[in-house]
Amino acid sequence: MDRTLQTQQTAFRAAPMPSLDERKHQLTALKHAIKRHRDPLCQALAEDYGQRHHQDTLVADIVPCINNINYTLTRLKRWMKPSRRHAGLMLSPAKVTVHHQPVGVVGIVVPWNFPVMLSLGPLISALAAGNRAMIKLSEFTPATNRVLRTLIEETFQPEQVAVFEGEAAAAAHFTQLPFDHLLFTGSTPVGHHVMRAAAENLTPVTLELGGKSPVIVAHDMPIALAVERMLFGKCLNAGQICVAPDYILVPKGRARAFIDRFIEQFNHHYPGGVDNPDFASVINERQYRRLCQWLDEAKQLGANVFPCHAKARSDSRHRLIPHLLSQVPEQATLMNEEIFGPLLPVIEYDELTDAIDFVQQRPRPLALYLMSQDPAVQQQVRDGTISGGMAINETLLQVGADDAPFGGVGPSGMGHYHGKEGFLALTKAKTVLTQHKYATTGLIKPPYGRWWQKLMLAFFMR
């Protein structure tokens, strides 16, 4: 890792400002490589998970990367163009421009839940910004890593993009390297360690974390429509998504109606329980056991548990279908930690302000979802809550908006990327002042006299 970083830094110093054509060539080559490796990537993710439908991988990993590249290619020239700024009277007739320069070498730490999108997505931003990149892949997706390594090595020289694997010790060393920017996607607890390691080198960081993303179902929203709009967001990848709905807030007296409707719709889309081929497995035994322990703990504490099918668990295949819970005690682990799986607490509230207070009293989430068709309610929740992003009458899809920033706030992350925000995050906005041959700035230099004071008062103190 250290040697590769030095090589990339040397290569960057030799060519610190890649041209538009060079960047577009790299992005186009990456796009073609993704297309060539589409089927192997789908097969590898199914192997890593034990069961993950190819359609899930296409929708959540492959297609977003292709769309991101297409979007970037059509707008990159505009992003790279220096912008004119006003110099002001005191600096007149100087010209002030802002140039976006590549920062250098970007480190990218990839989680296991969407290893294609969350490695190649940041890479797209890094290349568009003119940088070089080193990517640390998750040790929990070895089959996918093999395909990604092949894809990258066929497309780029190691001094441009390099891929690394390894377990926790390798990841820790990776985050300690003196990158010019470090982009980490993962859990909030690990985010603390990453930021601490980056601080030793004063490395700027973009942290994409997560947290407990709530769904507020307002009084005006029909329960059936609310379930329809959020079920896929909880079921995609078996809920192993940083922006998946983590818990539901429903008006008092409507929890059981929500649960019954969810179970009904789940069985319409995913019949057969754990035997359904369209529903993904939990990634590995460790994560499966964690979810089962949290579920059993909540049940022991008095929560009501409603599995969506009689065939609810398969220990040998680490498969777990959605379990909805009501009356969950506050001390239950799944009420305090990000669930990241197919468990869903349903909580009742009296007034909308109670639901807003419930959200605001907890760490700020990466996403917040509102189910309401009332514009006044939409404004009340939008303005009265703080979250990384928000979707109204939908879940997950805000992440797919190429022309909008994606990022958390506080415990759910810091910084943004995607689209133009990714370009801006991974470049340095450098102000350049160019002075004219004849300048007025000589008038403000010593020796100072009364005429100078009169000039300042007349022109600059208005």
Side-chain angles (χ1 to χ4, degrees):
M1 290 182 184
D2 300 74
R3 189 183 315 115
T4 300
L5 178 58
Q6 292 174 3
T7 299
Q8 290 199 0
Q9 289 172 333
T10 300
F12 177 77
R13 287 192 292 269
M17 194 67 174
S19 67
L20 172 64
D21 288 341
E22 289 173 315
R23 301 183 200 193
K24 293 179 74 171
H25 174 76
Q26 292 171 355
L27 291 170
T28 302
L30 179 59
K31 174 182 172 180
H32 293 325
I34 295 170
K35 288 184 173 182
R36 286 197 309 272
H37 292 86
R38 179 193 66 190
D39 291 339
L41 285 169
C42 290
Q43 293 164 4
L45 272 162
E47 179 182 339
D48 284 329
Y49 272 74
Q51 183 163 309
R52 192 191 204 224
H53 199 280
H54 287 197
Q55 185 67 23
D56 280 6
T57 298
L58 288 173
V59 167
D61 275 290
I62 307 297
V63 172
C65 290
I66 299 297
N67 287 345
N68 190 354
I69 292 175
N70 291 337
Y71 172 86
T72 301
L73 287 172
T74 60
R75 290 161 176 81
L76 185 54
K77 181 178 181 180
R78 189 186 319 156
W79 297 346
M80 291 177 62
K81 185 178 179 180
S83 60
R84 287 288 299 268
R85 303 298 175 91
H86 295 289
L89 182 61
M90 183 176 287
L91 304 180
S92 180
K95 180 178 72 172
V96 176
T97 55
V98 175
H99 300 250
H100 290 279
Q101 286 190 300
V103 295
V105 181
V106 176
I108 301 170
V109 182
V110 185
W112 51 260
N113 60 329
F114 293 108
V116 179
M117 184 184 73
L118 295 177
S119 59
L120 301 186
L123 177 61
I124 292 166
S125 293
L127 295 176
N131 298 297
R132 297 164 191 270
M134 292 170 56
I135 303 172
K136 167 61 180 69
L137 299 172
S138 169
E139 67 270 29
F140 299 119
T141 54
T144 306
N145 294 355
R146 288 193 293 272
V147 181
L148 284 171
R149 178 180 289 276
T150 300
L151 184 158
I152 293 297
E153 291 178 350
E154 288 178 357
T155 310
F156 302 102
Q157 295 298 317
E159 62 267 21
Q160 181 65 48
V161 182
V163 174
F164 299 90
E165 298 180 65
E167 299 190 357
H173 181 72
F174 188 89
T175 59
Q176 294 168 1
L177 296 175
F179 292 112
D180 299 293
H181 196 104
L182 180 62
L183 196 153
F184 168 82
T185 305
S187 69
T188 300
V190 178
H192 286 279
H193 298 293
V194 171
M195 193 170 181
R196 192 176 298 114
E200 291 297 320
N201 298 305
L202 294 180
T203 298
V205 295
T206 297
L207 300 179
E208 298 299 345
L209 306 177
K212 299 182 73 62
S213 296
V215 179
I216 300 177
V217 180
H219 289 82
D220 70 281
M221 188 70 170
I223 289 295
L225 183 56
V227 171
E228 177 187 327
R229 294 297 178 84
M230 60 77 55
L231 184 138
F232 182 68
K234 185 63 177 179
C235 293
L236 178 66
N237 206 38
Q240 298 166 109
I241 309 175
C242 59
V243 290
D246 192 280
Y247 62 92
I248 310 293
L249 292 164
V250 300
K252 193 169 185 178
R254 301 176 73 181
R256 187 55 192 264
F258 180 94
I259 291 169
D260 290 343
R261 186 65 179 180
F262 190 101
I263 293 173
E264 179 185 341
Q265 288 205 25
F266 176 83
N267 283 282
H268 172 73
H269 293 287
Y270 302 95
V274 294
D275 296 327
N276 185 278
D278 296 332
F279 195 79
S281 297
V282 177
I283 180 67
N284 54 36
E285 182 73 14
R286 174 185 171 187
Q287 295 297 326
Y288 174 77
R289 289 298 173 194
R290 172 186 65 83
L291 291 166
C292 290
Q293 287 170 5
W294 289 7
L295 179 61
D296 293 342
E297 178 203 52
K299 188 185 301 184
Q300 291 168 6
L301 290 172
N304 301 315
V305 179
F306 303 89
C308 283
H309 196 278
K311 295 180 179 179
R313 298 189 193 184
S314 174
D315 294 346
S316 61
R317 294 179 289 166
H318 44 89
R319 290 182 59 72
L320 183 69
I321 66 163
H323 287 63
L324 283 73
L325 303 95
S326 67
Q327 302 295 322
V328 185
E330 275 290 323
Q331 67 267 33
T333 304
L334 57 77
M335 289 298 294
N336 296 281
E337 300 290 339
E338 182 180 6
I339 293 174
F340 218 75
L343 308 180
L344 187 62
V346 181
I347 303 160
E348 293 187 338
Y349 67 88
D350 290 316
E351 302 296 331
L352 182 62
T353 52
D354 299 325
I356 293 174
D357 289 343
F358 189 93
V359 173
Q360 289 293 78
Q361 290 168 8
R362 285 158 176 76
R364 293 169 175 174
L366 184 56
L368 183 144
Y369 303 110
L370 171 65
M371 300 296 164
S372 173
Q373 300 177 37
D374 185 335
V377 170
Q378 294 174 2
Q379 180 178 356
Q380 184 179 359
V381 175
R382 184 190 66 225
D383 297 346
T385 59
I386 299 177
S387 59
M390 181 178 177
I392 299 174
N393 298 326
E394 194 53 85
T395 55
L396 301 189
L397 297 189
Q398 76 279 4
V399 179
D402 290 321
D403 196 28
F406 174 73
V409 53
S412 60
M414 65 176 63
H416 300 93
Y417 76 114
H418 287 196
K420 184 177 182 179
E421 275 69 23
F423 175 86
L424 294 175
L426 301 180
T427 54
K428 173 64 180 76
K430 184 166 76 174
T431 298
V432 177
L433 184 145
T434 305
Q435 187 57 273
H436 194 271
K437 180 179 180 181
Y438 303 102
T440 61
T441 51
L443 299 175
I444 63 173
K445 297 176 181 177
Y448 302 131
R450 294 188 64 186
W451 66 268
W452 185 90
Q453 295 178 22
K454 291 180 179 180
L455 180 69
M456 291 292 289
L457 290 173
F459 291 99
F460 304 125
M461 301 296 289
R462 289 182 294 177

